[in-house]
Amino acid sequence: MQDVESFLRIAIERAGYAAVVELLGDSVQEMELDENHKGLWLSFKKERIVVRHDSSGFVCFKVDVAKERLALLHEAQKATHFVDFEAPGIAPDSYALEVAVVFPGGEYQTLIKPASYWDHWSYDAQDMHYLSREQLINQGQPSLAVAQEMNRLFDDKTLCSDNPVDCFWLDVLFEAAGIEPTFAVQPIESFVGRDAAGEIYDRLPVRKGHRALQDAQALSKAAADHFK
């Protein structure tokens, strides 16, 4: 029943206690909770699993029904697209200089030509991604072209990232492009929960240099290896 416990923990963490109870519907029996009890608690009673969460109350799930319905929830939100951005340093006026996405059946990677007002540059960051500003100007794609291509490729998808700052790079890119993204970027915790995310992070290789495609590939592999 440990897979059911894992499903419940992640689902409650991701969607909230009330949403999970609503999802499970007639498989749930709710009970009163002593006000002194706090936190998330689970126990197994034959074919049932009992969950206590903060002050919301006890619920008792039929394991077979809960497992089936939670599996559908997890499958619907399973990470399949893995994204990574590289940037010329961490600063309020920084921006994305490279993006890559690994997805079922393919990969996308491009350098991004700096917009006219993107003038931040860190040579410490350059020592990590090995890209010069001149290389970006000569080989990078304009922000509008990158944004349009990403919208075309990843429309209505949710891309999984190992760094919350990737959401910031996405916003900066699309602001420069002058259009809205038709996809989302979420940290891996949103897909698998904090505990599993920590285990996936532990599987990522430690290296000095960072390029977007290598990092996206590493995250995809680490996630796949974790769930083997």
Side-chain angles (χ1 to χ4, degrees):
M1 293 188 188
Q2 295 305 309
D3 55 344
V4 181
E5 177 181 355
S6 177
F7 271 5
L8 283 167
R9 286 183 181 276
I10 294 171
I12 290 172
E13 184 177 284
R14 179 191 298 162
Y17 178 90
V20 171
V21 171
E22 181 179 358
L23 171 75
L24 294 173
D26 56 10
S27 70
V28 172
Q29 295 176 349
E30 293 194 70
M31 293 164 276
E32 295 295 328
L33 175 65
D34 188 305
E35 63 181 9
N36 295 321
H37 291 99
K38 299 292 182 183
L40 175 62
W41 172 86
L42 303 101
S43 67
F44 300 100
K45 302 291 184 182
K46 294 184 178 179
E47 75 279 4
R48 291 183 178 273
I49 178 171
V50 180
V51 182
R52 185 181 72 220
H53 185 256
D54 294 330
S55 60
S56 302
F58 283 101
V59 293
C60 183
F61 301 105
K62 294 179 181 177
V63 168
D64 55 348
V65 177
K67 187 173 181 179
E68 177 183 351
R69 296 186 185 180
L70 287 168
L72 292 174
L73 172 66
H74 282 255
E75 187 63 29
Q77 298 185 343
K78 182 179 178 182
T80 57
H81 291 56
F82 298 87
V83 64
D84 186 79
F85 287 90
E86 295 299 325
I90 303 296
D93 57 346
S94 192
Y95 48 90
L97 54 78
E98 183 182 35
V99 61
V101 182
V102 174
F103 54 94
E107 296 174 341
Y108 169 77
Q109 181 274 335
T110 187
L111 299 180
I112 303 170
K113 184 176 182 177
S116 59
Y117 58 92
W118 290 357
D119 53 14
H120 173 80
W121 193 260
S122 166
Y123 287 97
D124 288 336
Q126 181 173 323
D127 289 340
M128 296 181 65
H129 54 63
Y130 311 122
L131 295 168
S132 68
R133 186 172 174 86
E134 291 72 22
Q135 187 176 355
L136 298 177
I137 292 172
N138 294 328
Q139 301 178 19
Q141 294 294 313
S143 55
L144 178 58
V146 176
Q148 288 175 331
E149 182 67 356
M150 292 188 74
N151 274 351
R152 184 186 71 81
L153 289 172
F154 310 120
D155 182 43
D156 204 33
K157 297 292 192 297
T158 299
L159 312 187
C160 176
S161 165
D162 66 355
N163 192 336
V165 78
D166 283 338
C167 298
F168 174 71
W169 306 137
L170 177 74
D171 289 344
V172 172
L173 172 64
F174 274 79
E175 180 181 13
I179 62 175
E180 294 293 325
T182 61
F183 60 93
V185 172
Q186 294 288 341
I188 195 167
E189 288 85 350
S190 298
F191 293 90
V192 301
R194 284 189 292 270
D195 291 344
E199 295 173 5
I200 291 171
Y201 290 144
D202 289 341
R203 293 176 178 269
L204 293 175
V206 177
R207 54 175 176 252
K208 179 183 177 182
H210 288 273
R211 291 295 300 271
L213 184 57
Q214 290 177 336
D215 287 355
Q217 290 170 336
L219 180 59
S220 176
K221 183 179 186 303
D225 289 346
H226 176 78
F227 289 107
K228 279 184 178 178

